[in-house]
């Protein structure tokens, strides 16, 4: 999962980045609306955490802008306001959820999982394609009597493929979804992770196929 954190309190933003990175995700942070729009113009994000009170404006303007473009990216609003009218307001504008500051990171993580489940229409406990099961919360791949434990980036890459099987992803799309903008990525990083998950899928009946010059996709063998 790739997260954009829009928060002007540096300490909170840094703590959130550390929290998501430790969990195996990638995260970028924007301290104001202008920076947030810049991030959204150049990269794909799976989730936005949005503060309302920002130095250059109201975070609700960004929320409205995203929804007016018919972009259904999940957005969780982080607000210091606890009044019911404020909560109703952000939900009516298009927020998927809200959380009141200060909050426990465990609660935030649970809310992130919930909105992603609703958005994807999937059971995030188990993703299945062919005869293979992917368990994101356990970081485990299962087929037949075989179980393969996954490292963080292997898991995130397989989540992308299992979420959209048979769909072709370019190297650029995979890089964008797997790494934050601030990370220094080698040119062959995606090839390295593709090679790793191909080994993990060996004997499963699934394979990552290469479409030369275009990208990769997850398919069933002999189909």
């Amino acid at each position: 999962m790739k997260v954009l954190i829009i928060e002007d309190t540096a300490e909170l933003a840094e703590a959130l980045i550390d929290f998501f990175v430790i969990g195996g995700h990638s995260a970028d942070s924007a301290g104001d609306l202008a920076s947030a729009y810049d991030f959204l113009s150049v990269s794909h994000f799976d989730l936005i955490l949005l503060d309302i009170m920002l130095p250059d404006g109201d975070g609700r303007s960004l929320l409205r802008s995203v929804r007016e473009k018919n972009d259904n990216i999940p957005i969780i609003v982080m607000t210091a306001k606890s009044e019911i009218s404020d909560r109703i307001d952000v939900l009516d504008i298009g927020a998927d959820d809200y959380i009141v500051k200060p909050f426990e990171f465990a609660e935030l993580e649970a809310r992130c999982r919930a909105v992603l489940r609703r958005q994807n229409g999937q059971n995030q406990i188990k993703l299945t394609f062919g005869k293979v099961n992917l368990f994101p919360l356990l970081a485990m791949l299962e087929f037949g009597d075989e179980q393969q434990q996954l490292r963080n980036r292997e898991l995130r890459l397989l989540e992308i493929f299992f979420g959209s099987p048979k769909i072709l992803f370019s190297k650029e799309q995979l890089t964008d979804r797997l790494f934050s903008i601030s990370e220094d990525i080698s040119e062959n990083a995606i090839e390295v992770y593709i090679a790793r998950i191909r080994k993990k899928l060996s004997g499963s009946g699934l394979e990552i196929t290469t479409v030369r010059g275009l990208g990769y996709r997850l398919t069933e063998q002999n189909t």
Side-chain angles (χ1 to χ4, degrees):
M1 179 171 65
K2 187 172 181 178
V3 185
L4 177 60
I5 300 160
I6 306 173
E7 168 61 56
D8 65 323
T9 303
E11 294 83 359
L12 177 56
E14 291 170 6
L16 286 167
I17 287 177
D18 289 343
F19 175 75
F20 283 106
V21 170
I22 289 171
H25 307 285
S26 61
D28 289 299
S29 68
D32 53 40
L33 288 174
S35 299
Y37 282 117
D38 287 342
F39 275 112
L40 291 170
S41 69
V42 298
S43 189
H44 166 89
F45 293 93
D46 300 303
L47 178 71
I48 295 175
L49 299 181
L50 175 63
D51 187 20
I52 291 297
M53 300 177 66
L54 295 164
D56 55 348
D58 191 318
R60 283 171 289 200
S61 64
L62 183 141
L63 175 56
R64 290 190 185 92
S65 175
V66 170
R67 295 301 182 237
E68 286 170 359
K69 295 176 182 176
N70 293 319
D71 190 334
N72 64 349
I73 180 173
I75 299 176
I76 298 177
V77 169
M78 302 181 293
T79 177
K81 297 181 178 180
S82 58
E83 289 82 0
I84 292 176
S85 59
D86 292 311
R87 303 178 195 179
I88 293 173
D89 183 40
V90 297
L91 292 173
D92 281 344
I93 294 170
D96 294 274
D97 201 352
Y98 63 86
I99 190 166
V100 178
K101 299 177 182 179
F103 50 79
E104 295 291 333
F105 280 17
E107 179 186 358
L108 175 63
E109 184 178 30
R111 289 179 179 274
C112 290
R113 289 198 302 268
V115 298
L116 286 168
R117 281 198 300 270
R118 293 199 299 268
Q119 198 262 350
N120 292 332
Q122 296 174 323
N123 176 4
Q124 293 298 302
I125 296 174
K126 180 175 73 172
L127 303 177
T128 301
F129 181 55
K131 297 180 179 180
V132 183
N133 296 318
L134 176 66
F135 297 89
L137 298 181
L138 300 176
M140 185 179 72
L141 197 64
E142 178 185 74
F143 49 90
D145 297 327
E146 186 88 12
Q147 291 183 337
Q148 295 276 2
Q149 288 299 132
L150 302 166
R151 295 184 177 183
N152 285 334
R153 290 269 163 75
E154 295 169 353
L155 171 62
R156 303 310 163 200
L157 191 53
L158 280 169
E159 282 185 300
I160 294 170
F161 284 122
F162 270 74
S164 302
K166 299 183 180 181
I167 299 299
L168 183 67
F169 291 95
S170 69
K171 185 188 297 185
E172 291 74 18
Q173 287 173 319
L174 294 176
T175 300
D176 181 53
R177 294 191 179 199
L178 207 60
F179 302 99
S180 66
I181 292 174
S182 59
E183 289 181 271
D184 184 18
I185 309 303
S186 65
E187 291 184 2
N188 66 339
I190 290 298
E191 287 92 336
V192 170
Y193 287 108
I194 291 289
R196 289 182 184 177
I197 63 174
R198 277 175 170 158
K199 289 182 180 179
K200 297 287 175 75
L201 288 170
S202 179
S204 70
L206 301 183
E207 61 182 345
I208 304 295
T209 59
T210 301
V211 180
R212 190 173 298 278
L214 295 177
Y216 308 92
R217 61 184 165 203
L218 177 66
T219 62
E220 295 183 82
Q221 292 177 337
N222 301 319
T223 62

